[in-house]
Amino acid sequence: MSFPILTSLIVLPVAGALLLLFVRDDEQHAAVIRNVAFAVSVLVFGETLLLWTRFSPTVAGFQFVERHAWIPAFGITYLVGVDGISLLLLVLTAFLTPIALLASWDSIHRRLKGFCVFILLLESAMMGVFVALDLFLFYVFWDAMLVPMYFLIGIWGYERRIYAAVKFILYTLAGSVLMLLAILGLAYLHSTVTGSYSFELTRLYSLDVPPHLQFWFFLAFALAFAIKVPLFPFHTWLPDAHVEAPTAGSVILAGVLLKMGTYGLVRFAFPLFPDAADFFAPYLAGLAVVGIVYGALVAMVQPDMKKLVAYSSVSHLGFVVLGIAAMNTQGVTGAVYQMLNHGVSTGGLFLIVGMLSDRRHTRLIAEYGGLKRVTPRLVAVFLIVTLSSIGLPGLNGFVGEFLILLGAFRWDPRMAALAATGVVLSATYMLWMFQRVNYGSVTNEKNASLPDLQPREWLVIAPIVVATVIMGVVPNLFLRSIEPSVERLINQVHQSAPARAN
């Protein structure tokens, strides 16, 4: 394809945001602002579907590569490309952005233009993170993404929004600074070996990094990514950010931003520093298993639905890190697939909690009960998304968790056995929450006259439901694009850590 489609995925949301700057931010132009932002996000989604149709699933390497000199004196290039690992993450990002905008149609009225501008800028930065093949470019997008999310939480969030926004950005920046130092160290090492600086990922893959440097560089990268996942014990910023963020912010935060941490482990930390990755993998897996159980137990006692879903993310993403640590075909393929599954199912849960919150202006589980009699269609959708989240066979969550546990069992059966308890705990807290909210008698009269799903809400939640079923019934539609790139990654890691392959 001669058309620079990857660049257009980055530029188009920015162009839409710039266009919105010329629209007056008042009630008379609110419909124009919403329609322009939504139309741009739908167009970006259409582009990612076009990219998917043109992507060759049999090619393991990077495709649609674009390269332009940027700061040649320091070896910095504008280099973007996509493989099977990043392709579907682009599709997920573009899929959730218009849904998030549509979900905010009736709930965001204050500073609407700024809200839509920040959503589009956030989409652009997220796209950049997943396509960047130059480490300096990756870092620029990684930090650029923080700014719009900070303002989305800090301006349009709930009561403790400033605290949550500051905590979010400080945690992420703390890890980012260490990662930047490691990136600069890699470029300097490349210059001592070859005589020229380079931040190009494929060149750095072949760089022979001394073991002692691998140790420190891996720690720097892994810490930045562990905070973003978030991996236990670096998770404490997440519940605050989720609870205080508006619904659209929670959907994008859970659906896409958290995946950047696990994506970073797969794309950068493990293949760049294979010996250090081999050494630290059991420790990462141990933290992942602790996070799986801890997140589930804490979720079980939450009185707030949104906080319960937030802690469930700590548990579910522990499975993803465990699959990556196993570093075999089943584990990593399952991890990449579970990134997509979590984005769809947890995004759907936050959408449903937002719908209930818009109706009752509370997220406390105790304030509900008996909704099945009042809003049967909403409860039916709620059930499907809940079952998807706990990994019911036939829905998307089952495939990813099964592959991860299979890969983990081949690597370390003890880790797999401990992680499997998280599956049981997940079913416990999710079904218990669902039962308390939706079954029984209507004990609160405020719930007796709640409206069922509205046409706009159907447009918001129906794509989520369809995606959970398709990904559960025909997973090979997605896995066939992922597997060749995963095989290539694993071979690359094992070449430098041959003992692990045995």
Side-chain angles (χ1 to χ4, degrees):
M1 183 183 290
S2 59
F3 177 70
I5 190 168
L6 297 184
T7 297
S8 71
L9 291 176
I10 299 170
V11 171
L12 189 56
V14 176
L18 293 175
L19 181 62
L20 288 177
L21 295 180
F22 296 97
V23 182
R24 186 174 298 175
D25 193 6
D26 55 30
E27 291 186 7
Q28 294 180 343
H29 296 85
V32 174
I33 294 171
R34 290 189 177 99
N35 289 330
V36 169
F38 183 70
V40 169
S41 63
V42 170
L43 183 57
V44 172
F45 178 54
E47 275 202 287
T48 60
L49 293 180
L50 175 62
L51 178 70
W52 192 3
T53 61
R54 300 295 181 89
F55 183 86
S56 175
T58 59
V59 177
F62 295 105
Q63 303 177 44
F64 307 100
V65 175
E66 302 171 33
R67 180 196 299 269
H68 303 284
W70 186 12
I71 312 176
F74 295 99
I76 299 173
T77 58
Y78 174 83
L79 180 62
V80 294
V82 66
D83 67 352
I85 295 172
S86 56
L87 169 69
L88 294 176
L89 291 170
L90 291 176
V91 177
L92 175 68
T93 304
F95 173 70
L96 290 177
T97 302
I99 289 176
L101 284 168
L102 196 57
S104 305
W105 216 260
D106 293 334
S107 58
I108 300 295
H109 302 284
R110 180 172 56 95
R111 300 178 179 174
L112 176 62
K113 181 171 75 173
F115 177 82
C116 292
V117 165
F118 282 126
I119 288 285
L120 292 176
L121 292 178
L122 180 59
E123 181 179 32
S124 174
M126 292 186 298
M127 292 289 185
V129 166
F130 291 130
V131 301
L133 299 182
D134 179 280
L135 263 66
F136 186 86
L137 182 66
F138 168 78
Y139 183 80
V140 168
F141 285 124
W142 178 271
D143 270 5
M145 162 211 59
L146 300 179
V147 178
M149 181 53 76
Y150 170 80
F151 284 109
L152 286 171
I153 298 172
I155 297 176
W156 292 276
Y158 294 94
E159 290 79 8
R160 299 174 71 242
R161 57 185 180 272
I162 301 299
Y163 168 78
V166 171
K167 192 173 183 181
F168 160 74
I169 202 165
L170 288 180
Y171 265 69
T172 311
L173 280 177
S176 298
V177 170
L178 293 176
M179 181 171 66
L180 176 61
L181 292 175
I183 290 172
L184 294 175
L186 276 174
Y188 177 77
L189 181 63
H190 188 276
S191 72
T192 60
V193 173
T194 65
S196 63
Y197 292 102
S198 178
F199 294 87
E200 186 176 328
L201 184 61
T202 51
R203 290 186 180 180
L204 296 176
Y205 277 164
S206 59
L207 184 64
D208 186 16
V209 183
H212 68 283
L213 286 180
Q214 281 200 38
F215 181 92
W216 294 110
F217 286 171
F218 181 87
L219 280 180
F221 273 83
L223 180 61
F225 299 142
I227 291 172
K228 182 68 78 178
V229 170
L231 188 65
F232 177 90
F234 309 106
H235 65 285
T236 56
W237 65 269
L238 179 67
D240 293 311
H242 268 316
V243 169
E244 302 305 326
T247 298
S250 293
V251 170
I252 294 178
L253 181 61
V256 184
L257 261 66
L258 304 187
K259 312 306 175 300
M260 293 179 179
T262 49
Y263 171 79
L265 289 173
V266 171
R267 175 69 77 222
F268 301 101
F270 272 74
L272 282 172
F273 317 110
D275 295 325
D278 184 58
F279 176 80
F280 283 110
Y283 299 99
L284 277 176
L287 291 178
V289 170
V290 171
I292 290 169
V293 178
Y294 167 83
L297 292 176
V298 176
M300 203 176 293
V301 298
Q302 294 304 314
D304 185 308
M305 283 187 287
K306 206 172 187 184
K307 192 167 261 192
L308 184 150
V309 178
Y311 275 106
S312 78
S313 291
V314 176
S315 183
H316 288 306
L317 286 167
F319 279 100
V320 178
V321 176
L322 176 61
I324 295 169
M327 198 44 62
N328 53 40
T329 304
Q330 293 88 351
V332 179
T333 302
V336 175
Y337 200 56
Q338 192 64 9
M339 293 185 213
L340 308 176
N341 295 333
H342 180 268
V344 173
S345 58
T346 304
L349 287 172
F350 278 118
L351 289 170
I352 291 169
V353 172
M355 292 174 187
L356 293 174
S357 179
D358 288 343
R359 285 164 167 77
R360 280 291 324 278
H361 305 290
T362 179
R363 300 184 301 266
L364 294 177
I365 297 172
E367 289 290 320
Y368 294 91
L371 294 188
K372 181 176 177 291
R373 302 179 182 182
V374 183
T375 58
R377 294 177 181 84
L378 176 57
V379 172
V381 170
F382 196 172
L383 177 61
I384 294 172
V385 179
T386 299
L387 295 175
S388 151
S389 179
I390 65 177
L392 181 76
L395 297 177
N396 59 340
F398 172 77
V399 180
E401 287 186 357
F402 176 79
L403 288 173
I404 289 170
L405 290 175
L406 182 60
F409 187 83
R410 289 188 58 198
W411 176 54
D412 189 335
R414 297 167 300 174
M415 293 289 186
L418 291 172
T421 62
V423 178
V424 179
L425 293 173
S426 173
T428 303
Y429 65 76
M430 288 302 299
L431 292 176
W432 190 29
M433 181 267 289
F434 181 83
Q435 182 267 331
R436 286 181 289 166
V437 170
N438 299 304
Y439 283 85
S441 58
V442 180
T443 56
N444 191 326
E445 62 180 17
K446 294 179 181 179
N447 297 326
S449 58
L450 294 181
D452 209 342
L453 283 177
Q454 304 298 305
R456 177 189 59 82
E457 292 174 328
W458 273 115
L459 291 175
V460 169
I461 202 64
I464 297 288
V465 173
V466 171
T468 62
V469 175
I470 292 176
M471 295 177 73
V473 175
V474 283
N476 196 50
L477 178 66
F478 306 86
L479 294 175
R480 65 177 183 177
S481 299
I482 297 172
E483 288 174 355
S485 297
V486 167
E487 290 281 1
R488 177 172 177 263
L489 168 77
I490 292 169
N491 291 335
Q492 184 173 340
V493 173
H494 286 167
Q495 282 176 1
S496 298
R500 186 188 189 89
N502 302 325

